[in-house]
Amino acid sequence: MNNHSKEAIGVFDSGLGGLTVVKELIHHLPNERIIYFGDTARVPYGTKSAKTIIRYSREIVRVLLKHKVKMVVVACNTASSLALDVLKKEFDLPVLGVIEPGVRKALEVTRNKKIGIIATSSTVKSGKYAKKILQLNKNIVVRAQACPLFVPLVEEGWFDHAVTYQVAQQYLKDMKKNKIDTLILGCTHYPLLKGVLHNVMGANVQLVDSAREVALQVKGLLTKTRLLRTRLGPCRHVFIVSDEPRQFQRLAIRFLGGGVKNVRRHIYV
């Protein structure tokens, strides 16, 4: 076993959404320890410029490296769209994003070659999802829609609210009109709206949640590089936030299905 295998997996997001990825990592990699950074003081990322997102992402990876992580998962679609390539070049450890695993799953399940993407404004504007899909299969018809109201609705806990249905129907009407059969949930908050999205899109449309695919890719990479922690031991996950920890703890239950302890605050200087 590689000496570095005992080190933690670093995961970061603009706020809470990346906890959907953490939940899948804990499920598929129960022996691994996770250091999670939620940039709650500077959320949302979805409306910010590429330059700003890259700067934020660099700062967070440096914080994670102080905790001796063996790899970094960019559990934020916006940062994966705009900063992943820069992070891979600048840091000497494996860095994975959430876009490619979701794209590969969507290509695997689509039947009519019509794939939709819902995401933040920055992710949609970056065009990274569409580029990756067409790079792997140029015969796919791609439709993308920014859904900025979904994040506050999730954090409000309105998973099954009439307002959420109305907003979803408005956002998804063109997807339905264009008869997409596969919908990529291009933001880590969106899996919590699966019930609404299934209802609006219909049973024939496959919803692709990247979180599970990311966890499986992480497991494959750690196995290949002999960094997988195979020995059972206590996994004390650490959660770092850049704003009030109590608010994070209160909302984290919605994403992880249980409470979180060991939440620390990082203050930017």
Side-chain angles (χ1 to χ4, degrees):
M1 186 169 68
N2 191 310
N3 286 335
H4 294 294
S5 66
K6 292 179 183 176
E7 294 172 355
I9 299 170
V11 182
F12 81 84
D13 183 42
S14 58
L16 290 145
L19 292 175
T20 56
V21 174
V22 170
K23 187 176 182 180
E24 291 292 333
L25 286 169
I26 291 169
H27 175 70
H28 290 282
L29 297 154
N31 298 328
E32 295 292 343
R33 196 165 66 90
I34 293 164
I35 311 286
Y36 179 83
F37 191 108
D39 198 7
T40 49
R42 305 190 293 196
V43 69
Y45 280 12
T47 53
K48 292 180 171 67
S49 69
K51 188 177 179 182
T52 298
I53 300 300
I54 290 166
R55 178 166 60 86
Y56 288 178
S57 299
R58 277 193 187 113
E59 288 172 3
I60 292 167
V61 172
R62 289 187 189 117
V63 173
L64 290 171
L65 285 172
K66 288 178 183 174
H67 289 266
K68 299 213 169 1
V69 296
K70 58 188 172 185
M71 69 172 296
V72 171
V73 177
V74 185
C76 170
N77 283 269
T78 303
S80 291
S81 300
L82 301 170
L84 185 67
D85 292 342
V86 173
L87 299 178
K88 282 183 171 181
K89 285 175 189 169
E90 292 186 3
F91 294 98
D92 187 24
L93 80 171
V95 183
L96 293 182
V98 290
I99 291 174
E100 188 170 333
V103 163
R104 290 189 181 278
K105 184 65 176 178
L107 290 170
E108 185 186 308
V109 300
T110 185
R111 302 174 306 281
N112 69 2
K113 293 187 165 62
K114 292 182 179 180
I115 296 174
I117 303 146
I118 52 173
T120 65
S121 302
S122 289
T123 299
V124 170
K125 191 177 175 184
S126 77
K128 283 290 172 74
Y129 266 104
K131 284 173 196 165
K132 178 55 72 174
I133 289 168
L134 295 171
Q135 179 189 323
L136 296 172
N137 187 336
K138 65 182 189 308
N139 298 315
I140 299 291
V141 174
V142 182
R143 295 274 182 262
Q145 172 66 50
C147 302
L149 292 176
F150 279 172
V151 168
L153 287 168
V154 165
E155 296 198 356
E156 195 63 39
W158 289 12
F159 309 137
D160 197 30
H161 197 284
V163 170
T164 309
Y165 276 97
Q166 289 173 347
V167 170
Q169 283 166 345
Q170 187 65 30
Y171 280 150
L172 298 170
K173 62 183 181 183
D174 285 341
M175 298 281 186
K176 294 184 77 173
K177 185 180 173 184
N178 287 289
K179 294 186 166 54
I180 64 136
D181 76 345
T182 304
L183 184 65
I184 297 174
L185 311 185
C187 172
T188 46
H189 278 69
Y190 297 179
L192 278 79
L193 297 177
K194 276 182 184 174
V196 169
L197 298 173
H198 267 303
N199 195 293
V200 172
M201 293 305 297
N204 292 326
V205 175
Q206 292 264 8
L207 302 182
V208 174
D209 172 4
S210 299
R212 179 179 179 274
E213 308 311 316
V214 171
L216 294 173
Q217 189 168 330
V218 169
K219 187 174 185 178
L221 185 132
L222 292 179
T223 303
K224 184 180 176 183
T225 54
R226 297 177 66 214
L227 288 171
L228 192 69
R229 189 170 186 249
T230 52
R231 289 180 188 165
L232 260 112
C235 292
R236 193 162 177 262
H237 308 304
V238 174
F239 299 89
I240 305 165
V241 293
S242 52
D243 204 357
E244 175 52 58
R246 280 176 295 184
Q247 172 75 346
F248 176 85
Q249 284 179 299
R250 186 176 68 80
L251 293 173
I253 296 167
R254 293 175 185 160
F255 291 83
L256 289 175
V260 297
K261 297 175 182 176
N262 204 22
V263 181
R264 306 173 186 177
R265 185 172 182 181
H266 173 80
I267 297 171
Y268 293 107
V269 291

